[in-house]
Amino acid sequence: MPGMTGRKRSEYGLNDKRRTYYISPAGDDSADGLSPERAWKSLAPLHPETGCLQAGDTVRFERGGVYRGCTRLVSGVRYADYGVGALPQIYGSRRNYAAAELWEEISKNLWQIRLDGLPDVGNIVFDHGRAFGMKRLTATLQDDLEFTHDTAAGVLTLCLRAGNPGAVFSDIELCSNETILRGQAHTTDVQIENLCIRYGGAHGIAFSNGAENITVRGCEIGYIGGSMLDETVRYGNGFEVVDNCRHILVENNYVYQCYDAGLTHQSSYPPGCVQRDIVFRRNHVETCNYNIEYYVSSENGWIEDTVYEENYLQNAGYGFGSVNRIGSNPGMLAHICCYVRRMPCRNFVIRNNIFDSSLGNLLTVGTPNDAEGLGPVMTGNAYIQNAREGGTSVALLYDSHTGQRVALSAATETELVAAIRRVDTSPRYVHMRYETDFGGAEESP
């Protein structure tokens, strides 16, 4: 941060009182940030290395503004909005790359842009969702919007027949392998409210081992993920907390177009971990590969005092991450996914949600309603699934009480109801949606 990088708060004569900092497109990073008139301009002053933020502080982004970059979260700090207008837009993409001079035609229909030092680009979003890039791991590009990113050479190559991408599109966002808002291990007591977080190739909001007292409320999170986790597997979640965690509240958010999960708490930590008091409530999550994903190591680990309630989970598997899959199993996509693992659960309830249309399974869950506590209790949910061509829809994939994987399909609504009752003690509503529901062909008998 200009004039402040590396200096501690005390060096500016600041005391330990709680302070509110403001960020505005009209701001100046050399200001003190302590009023809307003296607001900062970027995320740079927020980095922990500056020493500006302390527990008890609040950071407010002006509504209607666009702020580019990523930052690490500071324990005890609230990140929110101020002013009027659209939610503050925090973009992981470093700039709008829709400038004709940035792109060079290297052969017919192949356009190249230099990206020296930029981490792996996992997705390209054109005109804020008008189209998406199709990532390829080989240099052979044949179809429109296919692209490769050679990080060693610092170049991205895109196939586009319509002409120079910077002239064809008014906005091009490159989602590189960075998490936009990241809490390192043992980051605690953080609130994130009323922010729009988009265009990151890793995660939107992510917390590591030891996260505690985390609230994410009223946010929009979208166009997340697609970067390489290793040589063949891509990844990316809208909200993620991993390993040991407790007191996590995620409510009233809109989450969409995430390569992997919209919302997830997970761990493969070999000694096992405890995930306690996690609430996902009243969120609208759609077009993610898994709208919600959960799992822990079944050895010495468990999930307890956790509830998913009143969420609207829609169109699982219909987003860019499912049609553009490399190195992952698309057969597990679902509204709620735990890869059909049996794992200890104590007071884990999934209730009063709406599961509306999945390209794959409605659910891929582990041992629901198990007397030994090896899965969640499911009750009072609504289920809607699209009829498939030929009359059979994928309904459920779950782990039975005897430890056997059970796959259920349904050709009629009666069969769908029977399948749902295998996992939900008292479903609120079950419907098989046919083409006639969209004004198309006649409804099947």
Side-chain angles (χ1 to χ4, degrees):
M1 182 179 63
M4 295 181 72
T5 301
R7 299 178 65 183
K8 298 300 181 183
R9 182 184 183 118
S10 59
E11 296 181 52
Y12 292 91
L14 303 179
N15 58 31
D16 291 332
K17 292 182 180 179
R18 297 181 178 183
R19 293 181 177 270
T20 298
Y21 294 94
Y22 297 86
I23 302 180
S24 167
D28 183 346
D29 284 352
S30 65
D32 63 16
L34 291 173
S35 72
E37 295 74 26
R38 304 194 305 275
W40 291 325
K41 185 179 181 63
S42 75
L43 278 67
L46 306 184
H47 296 306
E49 292 84 353
T50 67
C52 293
L53 298 182
Q54 292 185 357
D57 288 345
T58 296
V59 175
R60 292 189 179 275
F61 296 83
E62 186 176 14
R63 281 177 170 256
V66 174
Y67 311 91
R68 292 184 179 274
C70 305
T71 192
R72 294 209 319 271
L73 300 167
V74 176
S75 290
V77 173
R78 180 179 177 229
Y79 301 81
D81 61 318
Y82 77 96
V84 297
L87 293 180
Q89 311 278 309
I90 302 178
Y91 293 172
S93 178
R94 297 185 182 184
R95 62 164 293 175
N96 175 4
Y97 292 88
E101 65 272 16
L102 296 177
W103 298 85
E104 177 187 1
E105 189 171 23
I106 59 172
S107 62
K108 186 178 181 181
N109 301 327
L110 292 182
W111 300 87
Q112 198 166 86
I113 183 172
R114 290 212 61 84
L115 301 172
D116 293 319
L118 191 69
D120 176 61
V121 172
N123 187 27
I124 307 176
V125 183
F126 301 94
D127 290 347
H128 301 293
R130 173 183 161 194
F132 302 95
M134 299 292 286
K135 187 177 180 69
R136 298 291 180 254
L137 300 186
T138 65
T140 302
L141 303 177
Q142 297 179 330
D143 296 328
D144 270 344
L145 305 184
E146 290 186 335
F147 75 94
T148 60
H149 184 197
D150 186 337
T151 55
V155 295
L156 182 146
T157 306
L158 173 71
C159 181
L160 187 66
R161 293 180 174 84
N164 187 313
V168 172
F169 299 102
S170 61
D171 188 272
I172 300 175
E173 305 290 345
L174 303 185
C175 305
S176 59
N177 194 0
E178 299 169 283
T179 293
I180 299 174
L181 300 182
R182 176 166 58 93
Q184 290 187 304
H186 305 291
T187 300
T188 64
D189 303 288
V190 170
Q191 297 180 57
I192 303 171
E193 299 176 303
N194 303 325
L195 302 178
C196 177
I197 299 156
R198 303 201 287 183
Y199 309 130
H203 306 305
I205 302 172
F207 290 88
S208 301
N209 184 47
E212 182 175 343
N213 298 328
I214 306 299
T215 297
V216 178
R217 178 186 292 122
C219 291
E220 178 182 335
I221 306 172
Y223 307 113
I224 298 295
S227 292
M228 304 306 298
L229 180 63
D230 54 35
E231 292 183 355
T232 59
V233 177
R234 300 165 70 187
Y235 74 124
N237 304 315
F239 169 85
E240 170 187 279
V241 59
V242 299
D243 298 336
N244 292 285
C245 61
R246 62 178 181 172
H247 311 318
I248 310 296
L249 173 61
V250 181
E251 65 177 0
N252 299 324
N253 303 286
Y254 176 41
V255 184
Y256 56 96
Q257 290 289 4
C258 297
Y259 186 85
D260 261 359
L263 309 175
T264 181
H265 54 100
Q266 59 182 254
S267 177
S268 297
Y269 192 50
C273 71
V274 178
Q275 301 189 334
R276 177 182 295 121
D277 186 22
I278 299 171
V279 178
F280 292 166
R281 175 192 297 144
R282 292 192 295 273
N283 302 287
H284 180 189
V285 188
E286 65 172 340
T287 56
C288 303
N289 198 62
Y290 324 114
N291 284 333
I292 295 178
E293 177 187 19
Y294 73 90
Y295 62 87
V296 295
S297 170
S298 59
E299 298 179 3
N300 304 316
W302 67 89
I303 298 170
E304 69 179 21
D305 299 331
T306 289
V307 59
Y308 307 159
E309 62 182 356
E310 301 176 15
N311 300 288
Y312 179 29
L313 307 182
Q314 184 181 23
N315 294 332
Y318 287 94
F320 87 94
S322 303
V323 299
N324 189 8
R325 209 92 184 138
I326 299 174
S328 299
N329 178 11
M332 297 301 293
L333 62 85
H335 290 299
I336 296 182
C337 174
C338 79
Y339 306 106
V340 200
R341 298 184 183 185
R342 307 177 88 210
M343 63 195 73
C345 298
R346 305 171 184 174
N347 192 29
F348 179 11
V349 181
I350 299 174
R351 65 188 175 209
N352 302 331
N353 303 282
I354 299 174
F355 305 126
D356 183 357
S357 306
S358 172
L359 187 61
N361 297 284
L362 286 169
L363 306 168
T364 57
V365 295
T367 322
N369 305 315
D370 181 71
E372 299 178 1
L374 294 174
V377 172
M378 301 193 63
T379 183
N381 301 289
Y383 303 82
I384 304 166
Q385 181 63 309
N386 294 331
R388 296 289 195 270
E389 183 178 353
T392 299
S393 295
V394 176
L396 298 166
L397 185 65
Y398 71 98
D399 190 14
S400 72
H401 300 176
T402 60
Q404 300 297 313
R405 178 173 287 193
V406 178
L408 297 177
S409 298
T412 66
E413 188 166 294
T414 299
E415 292 179 357
L416 184 61
V417 170
I420 295 302
R421 290 188 180 278
R422 299 277 292 270
V423 300
D424 193 313
T425 58
S426 54
R428 178 160 50 100
Y429 177 77
V430 181
H431 176 59
M432 180 79 80
R433 182 187 286 126
Y434 301 97
E435 290 184 11
T436 186
D437 295 334
F438 305 101
E442 293 184 1
E443 185 165 351
S444 301

